[in-house]
Amino acid sequence: MATCNNCGATVSDAAKFCTECGTKIDKVETETQYVFVEKAGSLLQILNNPTEVKSLSINGYINASDFNFLKKHCTSIQNIYLSGVEICSYEGSEGTNEGYNYYYNANEIPLGSFFYWLPIDDGMPSLKSVVLPDNIIEIGRNAFARAYNLADINFPEGLNRIGFVSFAFCKTLNTIALPSTLKRIDDCAFNNCECLENVYIKAENPPHLGNNVFDGISKEAFLFVPTESYGKYKSSLWSHYFKEIIPD
């Protein structure tokens, strides 16, 4: 039997997804640390040996300063589970836009949260999978840009906007499923995700696309859309990026 790192449910060894919460089951045996953050901004006081943590499940309340701590100190992190997290607003200079006094909205993945600026030849970032909070409404700009090993991420219902360059150069990302609530994807959000081949979307009306949103994805990429919305997507900018649009 295997254990879901997100909710702790027991599933069969053959299972690919948890039957309780839908999280993808990682067959690699990686010990997960579970932490509860009672007060946003206090993760650094709770997490032991952050540089050694490879799999982390957080519940409670966090803000942009906690995301900055994760980025700077959890340098070996592979899996992050945030479904039980509430992201609180924050204003200050210790967020992910470090050194600048900045206001970060609640229920938003802060800008640059897991953005890796180093060239690919200087090492591959470790992050492989992310379970996002259930209540987020926006993913900030550059949030996961250049997270080269990121292969698995969910986009929960309630998400309205995916920000500028937020997943650019995520070169391992192959399949994404976008929610019915999505309204907008900003410029270059999935630019140069060269292995991205399957995009599923539940939105009945095609979300607004900025410039070059899917430039550089696989030339064999398919878009799966609601059957009743096929014509809308076929006549929209979405059709420019995909080999075929398939009613789903």
Side-chain angles (χ1 to χ4, degrees), residues 6 35-38 40 43 56-64 66-67 70 80-88 106-110 131-136 156:
N6 181 47
V35 297
F36 179 80
V37 184
E38 186 173 357
L43 181 61
L56 179 64
S57 178
I58 303 175
N59 283 274
Y61 305 90
I62 63 176
N63 62 26
D66 297 306
F67 279 96
L70 286 170
I80 299 179
Y81 306 95
L82 301 174
S83 61
V85 155
E86 181 175 336
I87 300 175
C88 302
N107 300 322
E108 179 179 332
I109 302 297
V131 175
L132 292 175
D134 294 335
N135 57 0
I136 63 164

Side-chain angles (χ1 to χ4, degrees), residues 211-224:
N211 297 319
N212 309 313
V213 169
F214 292 104
D215 274 8
I217 67 171
S218 171
K219 294 181 180 179
E220 301 297 316
F222 293 93
L223 176 65
F224 298 85

Side-chain angles (χ1 to χ4, degrees), residues 1-236:
M1 304 296 285
T3 300
C4 173
N5 285 330
N6 181 47
C7 71
T10 300
V11 297
S12 70
D13 288 331
K16 294 183 178 180
F17 295 90
C18 176
T19 54
E20 295 296 324
C21 69
T23 300
K24 185 177 180 181
I25 302 299
D26 190 351
K27 298 302 180 182
V28 178
E29 293 297 329
T30 301
E31 183 177 354
T32 300
Q33 282 200 33
Y34 295 85
V35 297
F36 179 80
V37 184
E38 186 173 357
K39 181 181 179 181
S42 63
L43 181 61
L44 78 168
Q45 301 167 14
I46 299 171
L47 192 61
N48 297 319
N49 302 316
T51 59
E52 299 177 9
V53 175
K54 292 185 178 181
S55 185
L56 179 64
S57 178
I58 303 175
N59 283 274
Y61 305 90
I62 63 176
N63 62 26
S65 68
D66 297 306
F67 279 96
N68 193 36
F69 170 77
L70 286 170
K71 179 179 177 179
K72 291 176 64 178
H73 298 285
C74 295
T75 51
S76 299
I77 198 76
Q78 295 179 11
N79 311 305
I80 299 179
Y81 306 95
L82 301 174
S83 61
V85 155
E86 181 175 336
I87 300 175
C88 302
S89 62
Y90 171 78
E91 185 172 7
S93 59
E94 297 182 358
T96 51
N97 196 16
E98 190 174 21
Y100 296 90
N101 194 62
Y102 193 84
Y103 180 79
Y104 301 84
N105 294 319
N107 300 322
E108 179 179 332
I109 302 297
L111 64 93
S113 290
F114 299 97
F115 168 56
Y116 294 89
W117 63 269
L118 291 172
I120 193 168
D121 292 340
D122 289 343
M124 295 287 280
S126 59
L127 189 63
K128 295 181 179 180
S129 69
V130 177
V131 175
L132 292 175
D134 294 335
N135 57 0
I136 63 164
I137 59 176
E138 185 169 335
I139 298 173
R141 68 179 187 268
N142 297 319
F144 296 93
R146 301 181 75 92
Y148 302 118
N149 270 339
L150 181 63
D152 185 32
I153 187 165
N154 69 315
F155 296 89
E157 286 294 322
L159 180 67
N160 292 329
R161 183 172 185 173
I162 298 175
F164 172 74
V165 198
S166 49
F167 293 91
F169 293 94
C170 288
K171 293 179 176 290
T172 310
L173 204 58
N174 175 264
T175 299
I176 58 174
L178 303 173
S180 65
T181 53
L182 189 64
K183 303 298 182 185
R184 180 183 182 93
I185 306 179
D186 289 340
D187 296 357
C188 304
F190 294 95
N191 186 273
N192 283 301
C193 293
E194 57 190 36
C195 289
L196 186 57
E197 294 182 338
N198 303 292
V199 175
Y200 293 82
I201 185 162
K202 294 181 179 179
E204 292 184 2
N205 295 311
H208 172 80
L209 295 181
N211 297 319
N212 309 313
V213 169
F214 292 104
D215 274 8
I217 67 171
S218 171
K219 294 181 180 179
E220 301 297 316
F222 293 93
L223 176 65
F224 298 85
V225 305
T227 300
E228 65 275 12
S229 301
Y230 173 80
K232 295 179 181 179
Y233 281 92
K234 188 69 174 178
S235 61
S236 74

